[in-house]
Amino acid sequence: MNIHQYYPVDIVNGPGTRCTLFVAGCEHQCPGCYNKSTWRVNSGVPFSIEMEERLISDLNDTRIPRQGLSLSGGDPLHPANVPDVLRLVKRVRRQCAGKDIWLWTGYPLDELTSAQQQVVAHIDVLIDGKFVQALYDPMLLWRGSSNQVIHYLR
């Protein structure tokens, strides 16, 4: 898996103070997307074990308490990302007690593959649906267009 950006302290992508990871790879390529640079799977840089260790350490840092992890992109549920995202969310569950996990995807919840569903089984909140420029609403919380749905899973 490749990543484009990691924010160790973020207050925009989900509630509270969070760690946010933007992954590479998106099949949806929605017109009006604000993050087109993340569409290609091979763009960005590899998600290294060192980056994973830093993310886990940041989530457990008591000097700057984080509420959880946000996964965006690109699309964390792009088939090329699913194995690494699954490993990461399982590790966060094991090693970061009390942290929530939010994930943004263009894939609708009811159309996820079994592999994508394995990831979703370990997260707290899923925001699904492609971004639709005609339904853009800057007043929406945590999403860009009104067709996107926030699923509170835990």
Side-chain angles (χ1 to χ4, degrees), residues 2-8 20-24 35 38 44-45 51:
N2 279 10
I3 63 168
H4 269 260
Q5 190 69 45
Y6 170 61
Y7 294 103
T20 298
L21 187 66
F22 287 89
V23 303
N35 222 355
T38 66
V45 298
M51 176 56 69

Side-chain angles (χ1 to χ4, degrees), residues 56-77:
I56 296 296
S57 177
D58 289 342
L59 282 170
N60 288 320
D61 183 355
T62 58
R63 295 169 300 153
I64 305 173
R66 275 74 160 202
Q67 181 170 328
L69 171 64
S70 292
L71 297 167
S72 192
D75 196 322
L77 294 184

Side-chain angles (χ1 to χ4, degrees), residues 3-48:
I3 63 168
H4 269 260
Q5 190 69 45
Y6 170 61
Y7 294 103
V9 179
D10 182 18
I11 59 168
V12 176
N13 295 288
T17 302
R18 316 182 63 73
C19 294
T20 298
L21 187 66
F22 287 89
V23 303
C26 185
E27 296 178 320
H28 313 295
Q29 300 185 4
C30 304
C33 174
Y34 75 96
N35 222 355
K36 290 180 182 181
S37 65
T38 66
W39 287 358
R40 290 182 300 113
V41 173
N42 63 352
S43 62
V45 298
F47 183 62
S48 65

Side-chain angles (χ1 to χ4, degrees), residues 82-93:
V82 166
D84 291 317
V85 170
L86 179 59
R87 188 188 75 248
L88 177 61
V89 296
K90 285 181 172 181
R91 185 168 179 202
V92 169
R93 282 279 170 244

Side-chain angles (χ1 to χ4, degrees), residues 55-150:
L55 190 151
I56 296 296
S57 177
D58 289 342
L59 282 170
N60 288 320
D61 183 355
T62 58
R63 295 169 300 153
I64 305 173
R66 275 74 160 202
Q67 181 170 328
L69 171 64
S70 292
L71 297 167
S72 192
D75 196 322
L77 294 184
H78 184 287
N81 295 331
V82 166
D84 291 317
V85 170
L86 179 59
R87 188 188 75 248
L88 177 61
V89 296
K90 285 181 172 181
R91 185 168 179 202
V92 169
R93 282 279 170 244
R94 278 192 321 271
Q95 296 182 1
C96 304
K99 305 301 179 184
D100 63 22
I101 303 172
W102 285 48
L103 188 148
W104 281 257
T105 184
Y107 301 100
L109 178 60
D110 62 352
E111 296 177 18
L112 297 180
T113 66
S114 59
Q116 292 168 326
Q117 289 173 15
Q118 288 179 40
V119 172
V120 171
H122 295 280
I123 68 171
D124 298 279
V125 177
L126 178 76
I127 296 91
D128 76 348
K130 296 177 185 178
F131 173 74
V132 177
Q133 181 69 49
L135 300 176
Y136 169 70
D137 183 347
M139 299 308 292
L140 293 171
L141 192 58
W142 316 130
R143 54 207 168 115
S145 57
S146 60
N147 63 297
Q148 296 171 313
V149 178
I150 301 173

